[in-house]
Amino acid sequence: MTDPADPPATRLVPPGPLRQGTAAMVLTALPGARAVGGVVRDLLAGRAVHDVDIAAPLPPEAVAARLRRAGLKVFETGLKHGTVTAVLDHQPVEVTSLRRDLDTDGRHASVAWTTDWREDAARRDFTINAMSMDAEGRLWDYFGGRDDLAAGRVRFVGEPRVRLAEDYLRLLRFFRFHARYGRGEPDPAALAAIRAALPGLARLSAERVWMELKRLLAAEDPPGAALAALAPMRDQGVLATLLPEAGARADLAPLARLLAIAPSGPAADSGSGPMLRLAALLPPEGGTAAALATRLRFSGEEAKRLRALLETPPPAPDLREAALRRWLAELPPGLATDRALLAEARDGADRAALRARIAATPRPVFPLQGRDVLALGVAPGPALGQALAAARRWWVEDGCRASAEESRAALAGLLRSTPGGGVTQS
């Protein structure tokens, strides 16, 4: 039922994602509820909808009770913030009570429940995220979000300086949303406020900074989206604040070349698109991986990937067959194509032929293990590791081609040729 005091801006074709599954049941169970935020934005933009968020003009306890009566499983995932999660057939939908901010501290807000949709929309960050829609396709757009979306404008709801002071994470979200939905130069009023708000970034946790930066670096649609956002970030001093390892005037040319070579992001064999793009922003001399990983609190796998990208010697475009196999053998699995892309992005030398050869060449794996050394009578201990390392050196020098049988024969020969040379046999 539509509130006559709050008429919709327009009516569109009833949206499919709101008329099926968990979303449909939630909207039916909660009179006056609407879909909000990203689902509305992406429906209007003609993009795929991945998640449905719903808001309701009811306090969270009443929301939970009504959803349970409708037969939905309810998890009180963020009750103090007014959010519960409804689940049907493993399909979750977050439902949040309409809210108004009581006070803010630059990152978090204390809230009170309201029944005023405009008041709830006014606390959202950007106009394109402040729209709401019901299952009949009625659209409420209090701040011109539909026009901004069509024009490729990312614009704060209200005064940018005020909205940034409420939550400094919005500074990073502005550029992430500009990468995905913006066209042309970012909103000048927002940029002026962002430059003044830079000190507020120090209040954000390292985990949230990296999460936003990673999402921005992963942007693939439209092509070049990440670069379109990083350039104004550099010009406003944001990139130097977030990523001082890249320098005060970060060189974006390697990233531009990388995006031209591989516009879709991750190489097929690695899934490391954001990390590869991050590596393209950092200086080629390396030495930054460990400190950066610690500062931004990377996962162990992320830290390992960045270190390998920055510290592995780059491949020459004309590597010969044996040299290519040796280079591949020394790399962690799945890194070769990314490392070749990074080298090409940095020096501009065409490595398309090399990348094709990498794709066609299985990564050589040393065929021996400790048990092969034990079988030849070497006792467990340091001597075993020394013998295995010697055999691997022989295998690498031979071009990483020898089979397990050939490598075992070579190992036996090495053991016979080094009596008293530190290899102890039982």
Side-chain angles (χ1 to χ4, degrees):
M1 184 175 180
T2 303
D3 181 356
D6 184 27
T10 189
R11 183 167 182 165
L12 308 173
V13 174
L18 305 186
R19 299 175 68 84
Q20 58 193 11
T22 311
M25 287 195 66
V26 169
L27 290 169
T28 300
L30 301 174
R34 304 175 195 167
V36 293
V39 58
V40 181
R41 178 194 66 225
D42 287 340
L43 281 168
L44 293 174
R47 295 174 182 257
V49 171
H50 299 290
D51 300 299
V52 176
D53 292 331
I54 289 174
L58 297 164
E61 294 81 3
V63 168
R66 286 175 179 265
L67 293 175
R68 289 191 176 103
R69 285 200 298 270
L72 290 152
K73 290 184 179 179
V74 178
F75 299 89
E76 297 178 352
T77 46
L79 200 59
K80 71 175 182 178
H81 302 294
T83 300
V84 301
T85 300
V87 180
L88 176 71
D89 295 332
H90 307 289
Q91 182 185 43
V93 167
E94 282 198 351
V95 186
T96 302
S97 299
L98 297 186
R99 297 171 293 182
R100 58 186 176 85
D101 290 343
L102 297 177
D103 58 73
T104 59
D105 64 3
R107 179 63 194 96
H108 303 99
S110 60
V111 298
W113 320 131
T114 182
T115 58
D116 187 329
W117 281 93
R118 186 185 182 93
E119 191 173 33
D120 181 86
R123 69 183 299 277
R124 298 181 183 270
D125 48 11
F126 311 118
T127 62
I128 61 174
N129 293 337
M131 297 178 283
S132 56
M133 181 184 292
D134 67 10
E136 302 305 313
R138 289 182 287 244
L139 173 71
W140 283 262
D141 179 13
Y142 302 102
F143 304 106
R146 190 182 186 190
D147 288 343
D148 284 342
L149 188 65
R153 287 189 300 263
V154 179
R155 192 166 55 87
F156 281 96
V157 175
E159 170 56 44
R161 290 176 185 269
V162 174
R163 306 315 310 281
L164 287 166
E166 291 170 349
D167 183 356
Y168 290 106
L169 189 66
R170 289 170 178 160
L171 190 157
L172 304 184
R173 284 171 57 83
F174 175 84
F175 290 105
R176 175 160 66 85
F177 278 92
H178 181 73
R180 185 161 173 80
Y181 299 96
R183 294 195 302 274
E185 293 298 316
D187 177 43
L191 291 182
I194 282 169
R195 179 172 282 279
L198 285 179
L201 290 176
R203 304 188 65 171
L204 303 179
S205 70
E207 292 89 347
R208 294 310 299 260
V209 168
W210 172 229
M211 182 185 298
E212 287 295 324
L213 185 57
K214 182 162 54 174
R215 286 176 174 175
L216 191 156
L217 289 170
E220 297 178 13
D221 185 19
L227 191 65
L230 285 166
M233 287 177 72
R234 179 192 61 187
D235 296 343
Q236 299 303 317
V238 178
L239 199 53
T241 302
L242 295 181
L243 202 63
E245 295 85 355
R249 290 293 299 175
D251 183 4
L252 301 183
L255 179 60
R257 287 192 289 266
L258 176 64
L259 291 168
I261 303 164
S264 62
D269 69 345
S270 72
S272 65
M275 202 58 66
L276 175 59
R277 292 175 176 184
L278 175 63
L281 290 173
L282 298 172
E285 57 269 18
T288 61
L292 179 58
T294 299
R295 184 172 64 78
L296 292 185
R297 299 187 182 177
F298 289 177
S299 69
E301 187 55 39
E302 288 171 337
K304 181 179 177 182
R305 173 67 62 170
L306 182 63
R307 188 169 59 251
L309 282 167
L310 294 178
E311 297 175 3
T312 300
D318 56 352
L319 274 182
R320 296 194 176 190
E321 183 181 353
L324 175 59
R325 285 197 303 271
R326 292 188 187 102
W327 184 72
L328 290 172
E330 298 298 333
L331 289 176
L335 185 75
T337 299
D338 275 5
R339 189 63 188 88
L341 283 167
L342 180 60
E344 185 169 344
R346 282 181 168 167
D347 63 24
D350 186 356
R351 286 176 174 79
L354 175 63
R355 286 186 275 115
R357 291 171 61 205
I358 288 171
T361 304
R363 177 178 173 268
V365 177
F366 180 51
L368 301 188
Q369 298 181 31
R371 62 174 175 265
D372 297 290
V373 187
L374 290 170
L376 292 173
V378 177
L384 186 150
Q386 293 165 9
L388 198 61
R392 192 180 191 283
R393 284 194 297 272
W394 170 87
W395 177 77
V396 170
E397 290 166 3
D398 188 57
C400 308
R401 294 173 297 187
S403 65
E405 183 178 353
E406 292 168 332
S407 297
R408 277 191 289 269
L411 172 61
L414 289 168
L415 291 171
R416 287 193 298 271
S417 68
T418 56
V423 175
T424 302
Q425 292 180 273
S426 58

